[in-house]
Amino acid sequence: MIRHTAVALSLVTLAASGLPAQSLEPKVGERLASFEMSRAKRTAAEVGRRAAAVAELLEGHKIEKAPAVKPLRSPDGAERRWQVILSEDSALRVRYIPELDELRALNTEVMADTHPDKDVGQAAALEIAKRSVARLAAAGVVDERQFDWKSAEVASTWVGEGSLDGRLSQRRRTEYRITLRRKLNGIELANAGLRVAVHVSGRLAGLRIGEVSVASDLAGGQENPKGRGQWLTRKVEAADIERRFQRDAGPAGTKPEVAWARVMYVMPENRTEALVEPLLVYSYSLKSKTESGEVVVSRRKVLGYSLTD
């Protein structure tokens, strides 16, 4: 019996337009590994140090005063996000999400420039992103060795202007979004990665860093599981999973429209520690019709299926 689990992905980059670059997909009978994974429980001081390094990169100058890190309480009283305050006049908006160990920073001043004088182009944006990641690595914020620039995904943010009759008269690119995710023996880990937003002018518009620790030993270019992790064998054909997905995707009267399907590791969002094996993950929307014949499309959904049972 194939297990199926609704999987929530923490990096919004997976919802980018177009099909993401495919990671390795083991065939039936081939080996794949499960790994012990965990998320760090960071102190406010540690979050502030990492945020300061990100802020120096985005603002282009030294941050002299340590940022203030304050919990933001939700209506139910939970502290799901922390606010990082750099200075009263800073254009940066910085948030930290403890349950995801994810740091998000936006330069609101740069993002507000929707009429840039130039577009540096994708190649230059990639070089800017590479230099930025190298600086973050030098500051101890990320481990540059975990990322392969050959697998970098590039998407764009566009803005449009329209007339009173509702017609779109002009569409302009405002930024390039470069996404990198960690891979384990060729299979991507959805929750561990980073996104660099490069404004078309060449300035940095934002950074998003998600981290997951993996218990493994590297030998001969291969990551071997430690602790409770183990080598497994794929037993389930893709066609069998596809049939199950078509049955599970939605209620009667709806039809799934798949944006992409790929094999990935996904650390559960509501866990700080977990034993994780690869899943075949579907990202899809449901289409249905109202009584008047109007087509309704749901928000993006995600389902993940085991490859081993």
Side-chain angles (χ1 to χ4, degrees), residues 94-123:
V94 185
R95 299 289 186 270
Y96 175 70
I97 306 176
E99 65 181 357
L100 300 178
D101 190 19
E102 187 168 301
L103 185 65
R104 304 175 181 180
L106 298 174
N107 190 324
T108 58
E109 184 178 281
V110 173
M111 293 178 66
D113 181 8
T114 58
H115 290 78
D117 294 329
K118 64 177 181 178
D119 185 338
V120 296
Q122 180 171 310

Side-chain angles (χ1 to χ4, degrees), residues 85-156:
I85 303 172
L86 297 157
S87 65
E88 292 184 359
D89 59 349
S90 175
L92 298 189
R93 183 179 184 273
V94 185
R95 299 289 186 270
Y96 175 70
I97 306 176
E99 65 181 357
L100 300 178
D101 190 19
E102 187 168 301
L103 185 65
R104 304 175 181 180
L106 298 174
N107 190 324
T108 58
E109 184 178 281
V110 173
M111 293 178 66
D113 181 8
T114 58
H115 290 78
D117 294 329
K118 64 177 181 178
D119 185 338
V120 296
Q122 180 171 310
L126 275 166
E127 288 302 316
I128 292 167
K130 286 181 183 180
R131 293 196 297 269
S132 300
V133 173
R135 287 185 58 185
L136 290 174
V141 177
V142 300
D143 184 351
E144 195 174 12
R145 297 169 299 178
Q146 294 180 353
F147 305 112
D148 179 6
W149 282 96
K150 293 179 182 177
S151 301
E153 297 171 10
V154 183
S156 297

Side-chain angles (χ1 to χ4, degrees), residues 251-256 285-290 293-298:
T254 63
K255 181 180 180 181
S285 300
L286 288 175
K287 278 189 173 183
S288 59
K289 286 187 177 182
T290 64
E294 181 181 357
V295 176
V296 178
V297 181
S298 74

Side-chain angles (χ1 to χ4, degrees), residues 162-227:
S163 57
L164 293 176
D165 61 7
R167 294 181 180 178
L168 188 66
S169 59
Q170 190 174 10
R171 184 170 179 260
R172 295 184 305 279
R173 179 189 285 113
T174 59
E175 69 180 19
Y176 296 93
R177 303 190 309 276
I178 296 97
T179 302
L180 294 164
R181 280 181 291 274
R182 182 177 178 182
K183 287 187 176 182
L184 299 170
N185 302 321
I187 300 175
E188 289 186 335
L189 172 53
N191 321 74
L194 54 87
R195 170 194 279 178
V196 183
V198 180
H199 191 264
V200 294
S201 64
R203 297 172 293 172
L204 288 177
L207 280 165
R208 191 167 179 173
I209 305 169
E211 299 229 13
V212 174
S213 296
V214 180
S216 67
D217 283 322
L218 186 62
Q222 176 177 269
E223 287 202 57
N224 297 298
K226 294 172 59 177

